[in-house]
């Protein structure tokens, strides 16, 4: 390879691209009071480093909802790992065991007789479908830029600016300063790479696109590289077909024919577009479309614009969402250090509240970057995945993980980013109805612990994780939360109420009376992924009436009843639901004062289990509150104290942050949050499921939501200001958080005490505001703002 020349090559690659749907960019903004024209200080929102990434967990993430990239920032070789949100290997998927319900009555009878092991064997043998794996979301591949080796690099900096959503690398070679910018434009639906230098004719590099498997491609023109193929798992599980096109646009220098190469350019812009034949509406019927033409049309549209215009449009669209919320938790000298060094110092005990604020905004940034109307929802890895066979297939685990992904959506003013999750839940209804009918002989719809792009709903695998028919119902909670925050009655009528009704229909048929108490119980079912020891010393997973089941059913029934009241629906079905709710067996407090995870006070073989499922009623539920059930909060605290660290699992630490925030214990919430950030965050701030191991994005979102819960709560019919403020955040401010009832809230505090709060009413109506033990009531009007002092007096 000659120095000073760009050469474009294609290595064998597999790549499947989205061809389904229209991507909506200009969404309703909601009347946010914090926007891109505000005078807030948006500096300090950079993740930055003084060296290139050596591992994927050090690279920096950009995304537009559909396309994603991880930027390594190398100076000899720049690696940009690529993703597309529908790039999935295909069927077969787990299938319903038709007629399984004929055996469930016998399993229930055995459990009621205390014969848990016998019941579990029946459920495993007769109900559970085989697990079929891998069938994974997959990497798109890698874009590599190879530069002249042996150069002396100085003044290196690699950063991700959360306010612009641009990853940037700058360094000097001699007297020349090189700049590299990478971003994923939601406006132009492409990944953009820009290389420039302050000295002319200095841009020299080779280009390659590669992927581990199943793709072909080549240069169709001196400035165009194409790759296409079909996703598989080692030739099986044939999934989506794809095409991607990369345009090379040099400024100055020259393109070398047949090599798609650039020699001695002043600047170069690379544009990557991609599409697949995935059909979200009917996944088993691929879209019939010319993928090459789709890509060419996308390229033709963006090529008409200058780089400056592409960049400006990208920043404006990102800030439309990102700048709705600002957070200042104070600054210490640690804030001036590179991000990886700040994380190291945090683990060693250094206070760095600005890093917490950065982590909060990073969570919002990730949701904006991987979940927009028209895209797939955020999966276990969001959008960013370097694997052909990812951990847990990077699928949609619906026994907490995807729900946690969307906990920040409403409260942190990103309501439209919630939409892909709603679409996924609604898309599960047809399959979920079939599973409910064929497996359980029930009406309504059901889904279990996981699903993926193929929308399967069957119980499969081991009963310890798979026999849990609560996944769909938990997803429906988000519909009611969306209504509570935004007040969209059309959404309530046409989307929330129907999906809640489907989930409630299933429960009406699924619940049975406990022969000893006459109360309604769910089962056989597990408490997600946990085990108990039976009286005869054996270890089992399945029981009748596990606490989480009962809490989710109560929550689903209650959400449906509330929706019916608002919509003026009063019929036999609603009366049946009200009656069933009144007969539900609800969790009890055990002899040791803990909230019981099962209907009996079983011994736990793993007392530090990562799941804390029986505390659903505390968070994200609203069944246990200081006002309504203080004794249950005390029992929940004892359960948390007994469970301890739970193996330092990232999402578990995030959930515990939320639990203690709901308990108004800012110090304990802050302790778990610091553990989440300090121990579970990789150098690029992405969450490790365990410290230093296995990226899983849910912890990022759960931590973001936990920070919001510490500053603002509204789940009990009032806006509670600073309910769990820790001593470490003695002074600060937050602007733009959202509260249920249609309010947007700004809060400022000093010395741990409220200074003032601004409440903007989007809808109007009665607004109750609490701070410490004082509660005031304000009659608000839509579009008006109200300022309160530290005594909650109007000013």
């Amino acid at each position: 390879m000659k120095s000073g020349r760009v050469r474009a090559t294609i290595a064998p690659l597999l790549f499947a691209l989205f061809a389904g749907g229209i991507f909506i960019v200009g969404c309703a903004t909601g009347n946010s009071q914090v926007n891109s024209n505000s005078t807030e200080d948006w500096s300090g929102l950079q993740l930055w480093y003084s060296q290139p990434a050596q591992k994927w967990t050090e690279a920096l993430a950009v995304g537009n909802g559909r396309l994603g990239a991880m930027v390594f920032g190398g100076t000899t070789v720049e690696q940009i790992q690529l993703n597309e949100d529908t790039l999935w290997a295909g069927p077969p998927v787990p299938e319903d065991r038709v007629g399984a319900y004929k055996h469930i009555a016998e399993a229930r009878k055995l459990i009621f007789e205390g014969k848990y092991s016998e019941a579990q064997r029946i459920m495993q043998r007769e109900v559970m479908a085989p697990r079929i794996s891998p069938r994974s979301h997959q990497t798109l591949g890698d874009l590599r830029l190879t530069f002249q080796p042996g150069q002396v690099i100085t003044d290196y900096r690699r950063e991700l600016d959360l306010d612009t959503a641009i990853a940037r690398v700058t360094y000097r070679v001699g007297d020349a300063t090189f700049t590299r910018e990478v971003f994923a434009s939601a406006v132009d639906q492409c990944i953009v790479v820009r290389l420039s230098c302050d000295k002319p004719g200095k841009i020299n590099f080779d280009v390659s696109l590669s992927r581990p498997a199943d793709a072909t491609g080549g240069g169709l023109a001196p400035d165009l590289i194409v790759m296409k193929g079909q996703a598989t798992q080692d030739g099986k599980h044939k999934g989506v077909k794809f095409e991607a096109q990369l345009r090379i646009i040099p400024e100055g220098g020259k393109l070398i024919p047949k090599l798609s190469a650039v020699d001695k350019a002043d600047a170069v812009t690379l544009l990557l577009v991609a599409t697949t034949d995935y059909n979200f509406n009917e996944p088993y019927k691929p879209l019939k479309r010319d993928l090459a033409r789709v890509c060419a049309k996308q390229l033709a549209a963006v090529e008409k614009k200058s780089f400056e215009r592409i960049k400006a449009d990208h920043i404006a669209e990102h800030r439309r969402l990102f700048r709705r919320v600002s957070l200042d938790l104070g600054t210490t000298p640690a804030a001036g250090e590179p991000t990886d060094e700040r994380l190291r110092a945090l683990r060693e005990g250094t206070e760095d509240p600005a890093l917490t604020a950065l982590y909060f905004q990073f969570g919002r940034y990730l949701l904006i970057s991987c979940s927009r109307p028209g895209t797939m929802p955020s999966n276990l890895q969001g959008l960013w995945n370097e694997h052909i066979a990812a951990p847990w297939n990077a699928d949609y685990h619906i026994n907490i993980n995807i729900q946690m992904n969307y906990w920040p959506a409403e409260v942190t003013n990103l309501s439209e980013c919630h939409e892909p999750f709603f679409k996924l839940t609604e898309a599960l209804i047809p399959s979920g109805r079939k599973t409910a009918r064929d497996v359980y002989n029930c009406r309504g719809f059901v889904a279990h612990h996981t699903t993926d792009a193929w929308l399967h709903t069957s119980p499969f695998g081991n009963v310890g994780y798979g026999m849990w028919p609560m996944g769909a119902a938990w997803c429906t909670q988000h519909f009611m939360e969306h209504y509570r925050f935004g007040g969209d009655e059309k959404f309530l009528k046409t989307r929330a109420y129907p999906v809640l009704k489907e989930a409630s229909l299933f429960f009406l048929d699924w619940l049975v009376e406990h022969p000893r108490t006459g109360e309604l119980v769910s089962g056989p079912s597990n408490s997600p992924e946990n085990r108990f020891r039976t009286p005869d010393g054996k270890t089992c997973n399945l029981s009748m009436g596990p606490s989480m089941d009962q809490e989710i059913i109560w929550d689903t029934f209650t959400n449906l009843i509330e929706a019916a009241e608002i919509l003026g629906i009063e019929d036999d079905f609603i009366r049946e639901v009200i009656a069933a709710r009144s007969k539900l067996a609800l969790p009890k407090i055990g002899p040791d004062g803990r909230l019981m995870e099962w209907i009996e006070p079983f011994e736990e073989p793993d007392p530090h289990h990562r799941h804390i499922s029986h505390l659903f009623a505390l968070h994200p539920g609203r069944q246990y509150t200081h006002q309504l059930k203080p004794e249950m909060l005390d029992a929940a605290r004892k359960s948390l104290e007994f469970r301890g660290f739970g193996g330092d699992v990232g999402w578990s630490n995030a959930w515990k942050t939320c639990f203690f925030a709901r308990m108004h214990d800012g110090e304990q919430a802050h302790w778990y949050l610091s553990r989440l950030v300090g121990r579970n965050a990789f150098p690029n701030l992405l969450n490790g499921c365990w410290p230093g191991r296995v990226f899983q994005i849910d912890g990022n979102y759960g931590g973001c939501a936990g920070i919001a819960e510490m500053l603002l709560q509204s789940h009990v019919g009032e806006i509670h200001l600073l309910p769990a403020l820790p001593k470490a955040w003695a002074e600060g401010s937050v602007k733009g958080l959202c509260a249920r009832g249609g309010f947007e809230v700004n809060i400022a505090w000093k010395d741990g005490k409220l200074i003032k709060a601004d409440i903007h009413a989007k809808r109007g109506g009665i607004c109750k505001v609490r701070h410490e033990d004082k509660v005031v009531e304000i009659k608000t009007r839509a579009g008006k703002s109200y300022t309160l002092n530290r005594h909650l007096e109007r000013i």
Side-chain angles (χ1 to χ4, degrees):
M1 175 184 8
K2 289 178 66 175
S3 173
R5 176 175 295 175
V6 179
R7 208 175 78 242
T9 62
I10 292 286
L13 34 89
L14 164 66
F15 180 100
L17 307 160
F18 187 57
I22 297 172
F23 296 94
I24 304 167
V25 173
C27 311
T29 63
N31 302 323
S32 177
Q33 298 301 292
V34 179
N35 56 53
S36 58
N37 298 317
S38 70
T39 58
E40 299 300 316
D41 180 8
W42 299 98
S43 63
L45 290 176
Q46 294 85 32
L47 286 66
W48 73 275
Y49 310 82
S50 56
Q51 70 285 330
Q54 300 300 313
K55 299 183 292 185
W56 192 91
T57 49
E58 297 172 0
L60 298 173
V62 298
N64 67 5
R66 185 174 67 90
L67 299 173
M70 296 291 290
V71 183
F72 283 66
T75 56
T76 301
V77 177
E78 167 64 288
Q79 179 183 357
I80 302 174
Q81 187 266 317
L82 305 168
N83 283 110
E84 200 274 353
D85 68 344
T86 65
L87 207 167
W88 284 81
V93 301
E95 295 184 357
D96 297 334
R97 297 285 298 275
V98 177
Y101 57 83
K102 298 174 184 177
H103 305 278
I104 291 176
E106 176 64 17
R108 286 171 170 166
K109 179 176 179 291
L110 289 169
I111 289 175
F112 287 138
E113 293 173 352
K115 299 175 182 177
Y116 298 94
S117 297
E118 293 177 41
Q120 187 154 314
R121 283 195 293 271
I122 289 174
M123 295 297 292
Q124 184 67 59
R125 183 179 68 244
E126 304 293 346
V127 178
M128 307 306 293
R131 182 172 185 261
I132 303 173
S133 186
R135 184 187 54 261
S136 183
H137 178 260
Q138 298 184 345
T139 179
L140 167 58
D142 293 287
L143 167 64
R144 283 186 170 86
L145 314 178
T146 303
F147 303 93
Q148 179 180 342
Q151 299 182 102
V152 177
I153 306 296
T154 60
D155 299 333
Y156 180 93
R157 179 182 171 105
R158 175 172 61 99
E159 70 175 34
L160 172 63
D161 189 333
L162 303 184
D163 184 44
T164 62
I166 296 175
R168 182 177 292 105
V169 176
T170 58
Y171 57 89
R172 292 178 61 84
V173 177
D175 63 347
T177 299
F178 293 83
T179 301
R180 197 181 311 148
E181 296 173 291
V182 184
F183 57 90
S185 170
V187 177
D188 293 303
Q189 284 298 307
C190 64
I191 293 174
V192 181
V193 182
R194 173 75 170 183
L195 302 100
S196 60
C197 182
D198 64 353
K199 297 289 189 290
K202 293 287 187 178
I203 305 295
N204 306 299
F205 60 94
D206 291 355
V207 182
S208 69
L209 283 167
S210 62
R211 194 171 190 274
D214 299 332
T216 60
L220 290 188
D223 61 348
L224 181 66
I225 299 172
V226 175
M227 58 183 180
K228 55 188 175 181
Q230 183 175 15
T232 75
Q233 303 283 180
D234 294 325
K236 302 176 181 178
H237 290 280
K238 291 185 177 181
V240 297
K241 294 180 180 179
F242 66 86
E243 181 153 334
Q245 297 185 4
L246 177 70
R247 181 75 75 193
I248 306 169
I249 306 174
E251 297 175 19
K254 60 180 180 179
L255 280 170
I256 300 176
K258 297 183 180 179
L259 294 178
S260 298
V262 176
D263 189 22
K264 297 181 180 179
D266 301 328
V268 178
T269 301
L270 306 177
L271 302 174
L272 181 98
V273 298
T275 193
T276 79
D277 66 353
Y278 177 72
N279 182 359
F280 181 80
N281 294 323
E282 294 185 89
Y284 296 94
K285 295 182 179 179
L287 291 170
K288 295 180 180 179
R289 59 196 286 183
D290 187 332
L291 303 186
R293 182 174 294 179
V294 172
C295 287
K297 186 176 180 180
Q298 290 177 332
L299 275 180
V302 69
E303 285 171 347
K304 296 176 181 177
K305 300 166 65 172
S306 68
F307 169 75
E308 290 74 18
R309 175 66 184 277
I310 296 170
K311 179 179 174 181
D313 288 349
H314 157 74
I315 292 173
E317 165 57 19
H318 174 72
R319 286 177 172 171
R320 179 182 67 83
L321 298 170
F322 185 78
R323 285 195 168 188
R324 293 178 184 174
V325 175
S326 65
L327 176 62
D328 178 8
L329 296 177
T331 302
T332 64
E337 300 300 318
T339 304
D340 51 345
E341 295 181 19
R342 294 171 73 179
L343 286 169
R344 193 176 303 113
L346 184 67
R347 286 192 289 270
E348 295 170 356
T350 299
E351 290 289 343
D352 192 351
L355 181 59
T356 302
L358 184 69
Y359 191 86
F360 169 82
Q361 292 288 28
F362 185 57
R364 297 182 67 245
Y365 167 87
L366 292 172
L367 193 58
I368 293 168
S369 300
C370 80
S371 183
R372 286 170 169 264
T375 74
M376 299 293 281
S378 177
N379 65 37
L380 278 176
Q381 297 191 188
L383 172 62
W384 301 277
N385 171 25
E386 64 175 329
H387 304 282
I388 294 294
W392 301 286
N393 295 318
D395 63 14
Y396 302 116
H397 265 53
I398 56 177
N399 67 352
I400 183 172
N401 310 92
I402 193 172
Q403 290 92 343
M404 184 178 284
N405 286 359
Y406 287 91
W407 286 352
E410 302 293 338
V411 68
T412 73
N413 218 329
L414 296 174
S415 182
E416 51 271 72
C417 294
H418 220 156
E419 175 62 23
F421 184 32
F422 300 144
K423 294 281 287 185
L424 176 72
T425 304
E426 292 168 326
L428 293 176
I429 291 175
S431 176
R433 282 175 173 166
K434 181 181 181 300
T435 298
R437 181 185 69 246
D438 291 349
V439 177
Y440 300 113
N441 197 28
C442 293
R443 297 170 296 169
F445 91 128
V446 66
H448 295 79
H449 79 288
T450 194
T451 188
D452 60 22
W454 309 104
L455 308 178
H456 58 87
T457 54
S458 304
F460 70 86
N462 188 279
V463 293
Y465 57 81
M467 188 55 232
W468 186 75
M470 297 291 124
W474 189 349
C475 292
T476 69
Q477 182 196 57
H478 285 247
F479 287 73
M480 199 61 197
E481 285 289 78
H482 181 73
Y483 169 77
R484 291 187 183 112
F485 276 91
D488 183 346
E489 202 158 309
K490 180 180 178 182
F491 177 90
L492 182 69
K493 181 178 181 179
T494 62
R495 301 185 70 183
Y497 183 83
V499 77
L500 285 164
K501 183 175 181 179
E502 289 284 340
S504 297
L505 276 169
F506 174 78
F507 289 145
L508 288 177
D509 291 351
W510 170 247
L511 291 165
V512 296
E513 287 190 359
H514 194 292
R516 188 174 70 241
T517 66
E519 295 177 318
L520 294 177
V521 292
S522 168
S525 182
N526 64 52
S527 185
E529 304 182 31
N530 205 357
R531 302 169 294 153
F532 59 88
R533 202 175 305 282
T534 63
D536 60 0
K538 296 178 181 178
T539 298
C540 285
N541 307 96
L542 300 186
S543 70
M544 296 299 295
S547 292
M548 188 185 215
D549 279 27
Q550 303 301 118
E551 292 166 355
I552 289 176
I553 294 167
W554 182 94
D555 190 74
T556 304
F557 282 169
T558 301
N559 288 337
L560 179 80
I561 293 165
E562 182 181 328
E565 289 174 351
I566 296 166
L567 296 172
I569 298 172
E570 186 176 352
D571 55 22
D572 290 343
F573 168 67
I574 293 299
R575 284 187 283 272
E576 187 179 0
V577 170
I578 292 171
R581 185 181 64 170
S582 70
K583 289 186 63 179
L584 273 179
L586 297 178
K588 304 293 192 296
I589 298 174
D592 59 359
R594 287 186 291 147
L595 184 65
M596 290 167 57
E597 187 162 0
W598 298 276
I599 208 164
E600 304 287 347
F602 295 121
E603 179 189 348
E604 300 174 53
D606 181 6
H608 304 302
H609 198 269
R610 60 197 177 278
H611 282 262
I612 324 97
S613 303
H614 52 310
L615 269 62
F616 172 93
L618 174 61
H619 184 282
R622 57 198 175 104
Q623 195 173 351
Y624 302 156
T625 68
H626 284 277
Q627 292 88 335
L628 298 178
K629 294 281 186 178
E631 73 282 3
M632 303 306 281
L633 261 67
D634 292 340
R637 176 183 288 275
K638 286 184 173 67
S639 292
L640 282 170
E641 290 170 349
F642 182 83
R643 188 132 300 179
F645 302 147
D648 258 347
V649 172
W651 60 261
S652 184
N653 282 335
W655 203 359
K656 290 167 188 170
T657 300
C658 295
F659 286 144
F660 280 108
R662 286 278 173 97
M663 292 179 182
H664 304 165
D665 187 340
E667 297 312 307
Q668 199 63 40
H670 184 259
W671 190 89
Y672 275 107
L673 179 65
S674 297
R675 202 166 184 88
L676 170 70
V677 179
R679 289 179 60 83
N680 294 107
F682 288 110
N684 59 8
L685 286 192
L686 291 176
N687 170 71
C689 188
W690 299 276
R693 294 168 52 205
V694 188
F695 163 50
Q696 198 169 296
I697 204 168
D698 40 23
N700 288 105
Y701 296 130
C704 176
I707 293 165
E709 285 284 335
M710 294 165 74
L711 299 174
L712 179 73
Q713 293 177 18
S714 60
H715 59 287
V716 295
E718 60 188 29
I719 295 174
H720 193 164
L721 306 173
L722 306 179
L725 187 70
K727 294 177 182 177
W729 305 347
E731 182 174 352
S733 64
V734 64
K735 297 183 179 181
L737 291 181
C738 292
R740 295 165 184 84
F743 299 100
E744 194 168 309
V745 183
N746 303 338
I747 312 170
W749 66 93
K750 188 174 183 180
D751 299 324
K753 300 292 184 182
L754 176 70
I755 297 175
K756 72 169 185 174
D758 299 311
I759 298 173
H760 177 74
K762 296 179 180 180
R763 297 162 51 195
I766 299 298
C767 176
K768 291 183 180 181
V769 183
R770 173 185 292 271
H771 177 57
E772 296 176 342
D773 294 327
K774 186 170 184 179
V775 180
V776 299
E777 192 173 285
I778 307 169
K779 295 181 179 179
T780 69
R781 294 171 57 191
K784 299 294 183 180
S785 296
Y786 305 84
T787 300
L788 308 177
N789 64 16
R790 62 178 181 169
H791 303 295
L792 301 188
E793 299 166 338
R794 293 274 301 276
I795 57 175

